[in-house]
Amino acid sequence: MYCTYSAALGRRTVAQHAKVLQRMSTALRVRSSSCSNSKHYIAASRFTQPCVANLARTFSTTQAVKEDSQDTEPREVMEYDVVIVGGGPAGLAAAIRLKQQAAKEDKEINVIVVEKGGEIGAHTLSGACIETGPLEELFPDWKEQGAPLNQPALHDQMKLLTENHALPIPHPPQMSNEGNYIVSLSNVVKWLGEKAEELGVDVFPGTAASQVLYAADGSVQGIVTNDAGLDKEFKPKSTYTPGIELHGKVTLFAEGCHGSLTKGLIRKLKLRDEDKFQTYGLGIKEVWEVEPEKHDAGRVIHTMGYPLDYQTYGGGFIYHMEDNKVSLGLVVGLDYQNPYLSPYKEFQRFKTHPFVANLLKGGRVLSYGARALVEGGLQSIPKLFFPGGALIGDTAGFVNVPKIKGTHNAMKSGILAADSAYKAIITEGKGENGSPIVLSDYEEAFKNSSIYEELYQVRNVRPSFHSPLGLWGGMLWSGLDTMFFKGRMPFTFQHPHPDHAMLQPAAMHTPIDYPKPDNEITFDILTSVSRTGTGHAENQPVHLRLKDDTVEVKKNLPVYAGPEQRFCPAGVYEYVDDEARPGQKRFQINSQNCIHCKTCDIKDPSQNINWVVPEGGDGPQYVDT
């Protein structure tokens, strides 16, 4: 657990600070004791030795009204200048920038980052081949400081896969990786967490944000961390501890793709027009150690075609990291139509292609993971600010799909939002009289930034794959647009429907016959899940909530052949025989398997599944992802 605090004691006493630390520590110990796999709760052991230092915070107790509920209960309150939800690249970049700005001017700004993963980086998964520009803005000497960017990208290749061949094809100029680095993003994020800690940011992993707090005027006031020690019936156990309110003059949401709080925030504050929506892909990834003679450090390969049909958007990647490690995966657009398609099993088929299988034979899998990613582009980005806060990183949707990159834009958005927040809080002194801070200049900065420029140029690429020609039409347009038009065409394609509405009835399709795993290159889904380090505390409320518990059996099973059991890459959902009703099925949720990819919340054709945070610290414990 990161536990470094600012140098000035200010308004808060050591005793008060110790009390909050001990409460949060107790909550983490509860989670640790209820999980058989203690490695997921490293944070708890660190937090039981609270590092009582000096923080300028106020401490109080209030009656917190739960969102969409009239129930009240007393909660402890911690006051901050800036509350950041999510300890990924965007959230940590924002926190670091705020502290750097304050140090430069010899000012004090109080910043907290809460992260639901048991450790910083535990829930971070990406390809990843990243651009270093925003990192250099924060740390020009990142190499000297030991940032874990060890393998430069040296060779680019693009392949069109048929069932048995790998044909070289030209790649768009945006896909050039000269000057980029092949990394484990989870390790990069861990390093950023350490740097934030050194600067005095309060970094709290194992802490899930479960509610948005709204002031009487409708502005965002902060967040509430989730309650710990509830049983499956939502009743307090002997270990029950209520969540803590974190109030901020500014709250930055950096939850990543399809954030559990952000999705409700966008609806409530109407940050996106009704006819606009985000679209997504599902990235499934493994890290392998391959035989040394097959390893080519710095080689970057992207693929299109097999195993996906021409109507399904997606592609593969193979990145040769350092130390004979290879990061490989498949991204499947979640606007696919065939309910029998299984992204997980498509990834297994991808590995059987001779071009891939020859690389993997004789090697071993080190880790597995999956995560939804934003693909909508510029036309899917919501309004970025609102009274009391802003959206940053992938929760807003800054991924450049043709470039297959988003980390640099996520970090840059965090920097832009931090500059706006610092100006409002410290330079202009706003937020002291209770009036909400409105970061309108953050959105203006975004529109004048490198993020907007690059997303505008490629805004028509991803939607072009919706044409009747599918893959072939998209490839043709993408080549013309990226190499010649460069986004200058006087129109913008739109996405036709949200991803969940693209799924067609099973009667329109034929079941897909996927081969059985060979346990050498391909594996069953539970074997893969075992490689994620996933764990969830026993006897807690299921975090995969059904709005109507009859919908799956009455609609999704007969109409769509039960797509949940195929689109989930972790074996969470099953249709099993109903013992109480012979001859019928019931819908079963194996929530302990959940790796927090958010696919179910996105792709469920009935939009009946609501993904909410489990107890903090639960979920995957990714390594080298």
Side-chain angles (χ1 to χ4, degrees):
M1 173 70 69
Y2 298 104
C3 189
T4 296
Y5 302 98
S6 55
L9 178 60
R11 297 168 293 181
R12 187 150 183 216
T13 68
V14 170
Q16 287 172 332
H17 186 57
K19 182 179 178 183
V20 173
L21 285 172
Q22 189 59 44
R23 275 219 349 90
M24 296 183 80
S25 172
T26 299
L28 288 173
R29 288 199 304 271
V30 168
R31 299 178 178 109
S32 179
S33 64
S34 59
C35 177
S36 60
N37 192 346
S38 60
K39 74 176 182 178
H40 302 306
Y41 296 90
I42 298 174
S45 63
R46 294 180 184 173
F47 215 16
T48 56
Q49 301 296 326
C51 141
V52 179
N54 305 320
L55 262 184
R57 311 279 182 277
T58 58
F59 179 90
S60 61
T61 300
T62 187
Q63 292 292 110
V65 180
K66 290 185 177 181
E67 189 175 4
D68 302 323
S69 171
Q70 297 303 312
D71 296 336
T72 63
E73 58 181 299
R75 295 188 186 277
E76 294 169 358
V77 177
M78 297 176 71
E79 301 280 353
Y80 282 84
D81 292 316
V82 181
V83 175
I84 300 175
V85 184
L92 291 170
I96 289 167
R97 180 71 160 203
L98 285 163
K99 282 295 190 178
Q100 287 178 334
Q101 294 285 68
K104 188 186 303 183
E105 298 183 1
D106 196 24
K107 302 286 187 180
E108 176 63 29
I109 188 167
N110 303 314
V111 183
I112 184 170
V113 174
V114 295
E115 162 57 38
K116 65 182 177 66
E119 291 186 286
I120 294 297
H123 289 181
T124 301
L125 180 140
S126 183
C129 188
I130 66 171
E131 296 183 9
T132 60
L135 178 63
E136 290 169 356
E137 283 191 61
L138 297 175
F139 302 105
D141 59 343
W142 58 265
K143 289 184 180 180
E144 291 73 17
Q145 292 202 44
L149 285 75
N150 304 316
Q151 181 56 61
L154 301 175
H155 316 288
D156 273 309
Q157 289 182 310
M158 187 83 179
K159 300 285 187 179
L160 177 64
L161 301 185
T162 65
E163 189 169 354
N164 294 304
H165 298 91
L167 308 176
I169 57 176
H171 61 75
Q174 285 86 351
M175 293 184 68
S176 173
N177 283 287
E178 183 178 356
N180 298 335
Y181 283 78
I182 303 170
V183 302
S184 158
L185 192 59
S186 62
N187 290 339
V188 172
V189 166
K190 288 175 185 177
W191 182 83
L192 289 172
E194 294 169 0
K195 292 301 165 183
E197 179 191 24
E198 291 171 7
L199 289 164
V201 178
D202 293 0
V203 183
F204 287 108
T207 307
S210 62
Q211 301 172 46
V212 179
L213 285 174
Y214 296 95
D217 61 5
S219 63
V220 170
Q221 189 179 17
I223 57 99
V224 182
T225 65
N226 68 340
D227 299 338
L230 293 175
D231 66 17
K232 291 181 179 179
E233 304 301 322
F234 296 87
K235 295 178 181 178
K237 296 184 287 191
S238 60
T239 53
Y240 172 73
T241 52
I244 296 173
E245 289 190 19
L246 299 175
H247 291 190
K249 296 174 183 175
V250 167
T251 303
L252 300 179
F253 291 86
E255 296 183 285
C257 175
H258 203 64
S260 54
L261 295 186
T262 302
K263 64 187 181 184
L265 185 76
I266 289 174
R267 289 193 298 267
K268 183 179 180 69
L269 300 183
K270 298 180 179 179
L271 302 181
R272 180 182 280 126
D273 294 338
E274 290 186 6
D275 61 341
K276 304 290 183 182
F277 43 84
Q278 186 58 261
T279 64
Y280 303 88
L282 173 60
I284 302 176
K285 170 183 176 175
E286 289 176 346
V287 177
W288 282 66
E289 182 180 39
V290 300
E291 293 177 335
E293 60 270 20
K294 297 178 181 179
H295 188 251
D296 185 7
R299 189 180 185 191
V300 175
I301 305 169
H302 292 107
T303 73
M304 299 189 74
Y306 184 87
L308 303 176
D309 61 40
Y310 82 97
Q311 293 180 316
T312 304
Y313 181 83
F317 64 88
I318 303 172
Y319 300 156
H320 288 248
M321 307 165 74
E322 70 270 25
D323 300 328
N324 298 323
K325 293 179 183 176
V326 171
S327 168
L328 78 156
L330 182 73
V331 177
V332 179
L334 287 178
D335 57 355
Y336 68 81
Q337 298 177 335
N338 186 349
Y340 290 112
L341 187 147
S342 164
Y344 176 82
K345 291 182 179 180
E346 294 293 339
F347 172 56
Q348 300 307 309
R349 285 209 301 173
F350 169 72
K351 292 187 293 178
T352 66
H353 189 280
F355 180 74
V356 184
N358 291 336
L359 170 67
L360 302 181
K361 285 179 181 177
R364 65 187 183 100
V365 186
L366 302 178
S367 59
Y368 165 83
R371 186 72 171 92
L373 60 151
V374 288
E375 289 191 343
L378 189 67
Q379 50 270 64
S380 294
I381 294 174
K383 185 178 179 181
L384 297 178
F385 70 96
F386 43 84
L391 307 178
I392 61 176
D394 280 358
T395 209
F398 297 129
V399 172
N400 184 325
V401 176
K403 191 180 278 190
I404 319 179
K405 289 178 179 58
T407 301
H408 65 295
N409 284 343
M411 293 182 68
K412 182 64 177 180
S413 71
I415 291 170
L416 295 177
D419 288 347
S420 179
Y422 184 85
K423 175 184 174 184
I425 296 169
I426 302 301
T427 306
E428 299 175 349
K430 295 180 179 178
E432 294 294 342
N433 59 0
S435 298
I437 292 175
V438 180
L439 301 180
S440 56
D441 55 347
Y442 162 50
E443 184 132 14
E444 288 302 312
F446 159 70
K447 290 179 179 178
N448 292 307
S449 72
S450 58
I451 309 174
Y452 187 93
E453 180 181 4
E454 69 172 67
L455 293 184
Y456 182 83
Q457 287 186 8
V458 300
R459 70 194 184 281
N460 286 327
V461 171
R462 177 64 179 92
S464 71
F465 285 82
H466 292 301
S467 79
L469 295 177
L471 173 67
W472 311 116
M475 287 179 62
L476 177 62
W477 174 265
S478 298
L480 291 172
D481 198 24
T482 57
M483 294 183 184
F484 301 105
F485 302 148
K486 299 187 184 300
R488 291 190 291 264
M489 299 302 288
F491 51 78
T492 297
F493 297 149
Q494 300 298 323
H495 303 286
H497 304 288
D499 292 339
H500 70 270
M502 296 293 286
L503 203 65
Q504 295 177 342
M508 299 175 64
H509 296 269
T510 302
I512 301 173
D513 183 20
Y514 290 108
K516 292 182 179 180
D518 61 15
N519 295 316
E520 179 186 358
I521 291 176
T522 60
F523 307 93
D524 66 82
I525 201 165
L526 294 184
T527 297
S528 292
V529 171
S530 71
R531 296 180 173 128
T532 66
T534 293
H536 290 83
E538 297 293 336
N539 193 23
Q540 65 167 299
V542 173
H543 66 281
L544 302 160
R545 312 278 170 82
L546 300 180
K547 300 171 187 176
D548 181 341
D549 61 10
T550 68
V551 165
E552 267 65 30
V553 172
K554 288 184 177 180
K555 179 181 178 182
N556 286 8
L557 182 59
V559 177
Y560 301 101
E564 304 90 340
Q565 56 196 339
R566 288 180 290 276
F567 62 54
C568 173
V572 170
Y573 301 104
E574 292 182 283
Y575 286 88
V576 299
D577 293 335
D578 190 342
E579 300 86 352
R581 298 180 300 168
Q584 299 188 46
K585 297 287 185 179
R586 63 179 176 84
F587 187 58
Q588 179 168 294
I589 301 176
N590 306 308
S591 59
Q592 70 276 9
N593 289 3
C594 180
I595 56 176
H596 299 200
C597 73
K598 310 293 184 66
T599 303
C600 55
D601 198 315
I602 296 166
K603 190 59 177 174
D604 174 15
S606 301
Q607 289 295 276
N608 191 49
I609 299 173
N610 182 31
W611 196 102
V612 302
V613 289
E615 289 190 356
D618 285 359
Q621 182 76 17
Y622 287 139
V623 177
D624 288 337
T625 58

